[in-house]
Amino acid sequence: SQQGEEDPQALSIQEGENATMNCSYKTSINNLQWYRQNSGRGLVHLILIRSNEREKHSGRLRVTLDTSKKSSSLLITASRAADTASYFCATLALSGTYKYIFGTGTRLKVLA
Amino acid sequence: ETGVTQSPTHLIKTRGQQVTLRCSSQSGHNTVSWYQQALGQGPQFIFQYYREEENGRGNFPPRFSGLQFPNYSSELNVNALELDDSALYLCASSQSGTRSSHEQYFGPGTRLTVT
């Protein structure tokens, strides 16, 4: 079963607008990562945020993490048509196997 | 490009058959994880191999098995295929180390269709 839930399930915006997607998870984590997936292909690693970090930036991406609420958000600024994809959060537990628990994903469509 | 490759790209099998999927990990990585992704869902962890031994398993039956070779490449074997096994199978490689910095890099996946 999947630990994470992402919200919204689908998002459609105009090129140039910002896109925000949220991820909630259930157990304590070591780190949280965001991935992008184009058309059912492999996952592309976007950004990793550690449990002791609150915010991280990478280019047009901004990720926040609130461990007290067990939630994270991914903001894509000035979106482009090429950002159209599914976005997943994945969490790594504090101990045990280095396995990632994925959320259900947000399908983002950026209209040109 | 992550340097993780998978073969084949697509595969069609009949219910009851057996299938082997292959993965070559990124150079320098010693850990391989396999995930199953059903249509419209997030990936689900099948199992992980570290230095040729299974290092953790998700909620999958024993007919899902794997191997890791000395060069850290890996195989996923599925016996007695069922229709519900139709999915995208993803391989991810990583270098075991500090948990807080641990990252996985995914291959392009193998699309398995069971008819």
Side-chain angles (χ1 to χ4, degrees):
Chain A
S1 63
Q2 296 181 247
Q3 170 174 235
E5 291 290 332
E6 282 159 86
D7 172 61
Q9 288 187 331
L11 179 61
S12 186
I13 59 174
Q14 295 291 326
E15 207 167 29
E17 293 181 337
N18 295 342
T20 300
M21 49 206 90
N22 304 294
C23 163
S24 61
Y25 55 92
K26 296 176 184 174
T27 60
S28 296
I29 63 169
N30 187 283
N31 73 49
L32 183 146
Q33 300 183 35
W34 284 90
Y35 290 85
R36 184 184 75 229
Q37 186 176 41
N38 291 84
S39 301
R41 297 292 289 165
L43 292 126
V44 175
H45 182 266
L46 296 176
I47 198 163
L48 176 153
I49 186 164
R50 298 181 178 85
S51 60
N52 61 353
E53 297 175 315
R54 292 295 166 258
E55 187 171 313
K56 208 160 182 183
H57 296 254
S58 177
R60 294 184 296 113
L61 306 180
R62 173 177 167 254
V63 168
T64 62
L65 179 65
D66 187 336
T67 52
S68 67
K69 295 181 179 178
K70 292 187 168 59
S71 67
S72 174
S73 68
L74 170 67
L75 167 68
I76 304 174
T77 60
S79 63
R80 305 166 182 168
D83 294 328
T84 295
S86 291
Y87 291 82
F88 294 91
C89 68
T91 55
L92 180 64
L94 289 174
S95 61
T97 303
Y98 281 41
K99 71 177 185 181
Y100 286 84
I101 307 297
F102 281 80
T104 50
T106 292
R107 294 187 306 280
L108 173 66
K109 188 169 185 178
V110 181
L111 304 169
Chain B
E1 292 293 325
T2 63
V4 181
T5 61
Q6 291 185 244
S7 62
T9 303
H10 294 91
L11 200 53
I12 299 175
K13 291 289 213 177
T14 303
R15 190 170 47 185
Q17 287 187 318
Q18 177 266 342
V19 69
T20 298
L21 310 182
R22 295 179 174 82
C23 170
S24 291
S25 56
Q26 186 166 307
S27 177
H29 285 179
N30 58 14
T31 303
V32 174
S33 303
W34 285 91
Y35 292 82
Q36 180 195 65
Q37 186 179 22
L39 199 62
Q41 300 294 315
Q44 301 246 11
F45 177 78
I46 303 175
F47 45 56
Q48 183 179 89
Y49 279 82
Y50 170 66
R51 292 186 176 177
E52 302 177 56
E53 292 197 3
E54 189 177 292
N55 187 41
R57 190 175 186 93
N59 189 27
F60 281 82
R63 59 189 185 83
F64 285 78
S65 63
L67 283 173
Q68 187 181 32
F69 300 99
N71 65 355
Y72 302 128
S73 65
S74 177
E75 286 183 356
L76 164 65
N77 299 290
V78 187
N79 294 323
L81 284 166
E82 300 177 0
L83 297 179
D84 284 349
D85 295 334
S86 296
L88 180 69
Y89 288 85
L90 295 161
C91 158
S93 80
S94 58
Q95 178 63 28
S96 288
T98 306
R99 181 174 287 265
S100 63
S101 303
H102 187 261
E103 296 183 12
Q104 288 188 142
Y105 295 89
F106 284 82
T110 294
R111 174 73 62 187
L112 172 65
T113 302
V114 182
T115 62

